[in-house]
Amino acid sequence: AEELRKLRHARVALRAANTSPSRPTDADLKRLDSSIKKCTALTRKLTKITEESRASLLDELGKVNMRKYVTEAVAATVEGKLKSSDVFAAVDVASKLHATYEDFAPALAESLPRFVCPNAKAFAPSAAAALAAKEAATAAGLDAAEVVTPTQRRLKLR
């Protein structure tokens, strides 16, 4: 019962910290190591988050500037295999990334449902992106029929 109380208190504190995070300034991030070698190694470690590696990952996240690699960090965090005992460690790591990088939460919110339900049409980017592109075109005074959606662009590139 005491352990559950501590766990609940920790979750409430983490939730409060995540609702209004105090992010480091640009100057603080520039002081951190942003080498490709370190960022790639950390991204690889993010695919294997465990309870044992939690402390080292949190420590390393405080030393490395992954601003340019936030999308890779999101992909690694989402695609990594987790055991039920490692969920709290993954939440801590994701919370640290959210507190450090402003772009992390929106990217996570976008990719997590797609990974959990890959075939769900509700999470397909094409409908929302097409609607947003057409609305932007009509607001800019362009003909909505001439607007090329992101999906159409992807199909032309392939």
Side-chain angles (χ1 to χ4, degrees):
E2 182 65 31
E3 195 173 307
L4 289 174
R5 224 177 273 126
K6 286 181 183 178
L7 189 64
R8 176 136 175 91
H9 179 69
R11 285 178 32 202
V12 168
L14 193 59
R15 170 80 174 151
N18 282 334
T19 53
S20 58
S22 59
R23 293 191 169 92
T25 63
D26 288 340
D28 293 336
L29 288 175
K30 284 183 181 179
R31 283 189 226 126
L32 301 176
D33 188 2
S34 61
S35 67
I36 293 174
K37 184 177 179 181
K38 293 270 186 180
C39 291
T40 305
L42 183 56
T43 302
R44 262 190 255 116
K45 289 178 185 178
L46 287 173
T47 61
K48 302 169 188 151
I49 301 172
T50 62
E51 191 64 41
E52 292 79 31
S53 67
R54 176 200 306 210
S56 66
L57 275 172
L58 291 174
D59 183 50
E60 198 166 340
L61 282 170
K63 295 177 181 176
V64 176
N65 180 4
M66 293 195 60
R67 175 186 278 161
K68 296 177 183 175
Y69 307 100
V70 170
T71 55
E72 287 84 355
V74 168
T77 305
V78 169
E79 294 171 4
K81 304 286 185 207
L82 287 179
K83 296 180 184 175
S84 59
S85 60
D86 301 330
V87 170
F88 294 117
V91 168
D92 275 350
V93 170
S95 179
K96 173 76 172 180
L97 285 165
H98 167 66
T100 307
Y101 306 104
E102 192 174 338
D103 304 341
F104 182 78
L108 182 67
E110 183 180 327
S111 62
L112 190 59
R114 289 189 192 144
F115 185 76
V116 174
C117 304
N119 297 328
K121 291 182 180 178
F123 303 122
S126 59
L131 182 62
K134 287 185 181 190
E135 286 177 357
T138 54
L142 300 173
D143 184 19
E146 296 174 2
V147 175
V148 179
T149 64
T151 304
Q152 291 169 334
R153 267 189 253 125
R154 270 188 256 133
L155 291 174
K156 286 182 182 178
L157 293 175
R158 289 184 184 176

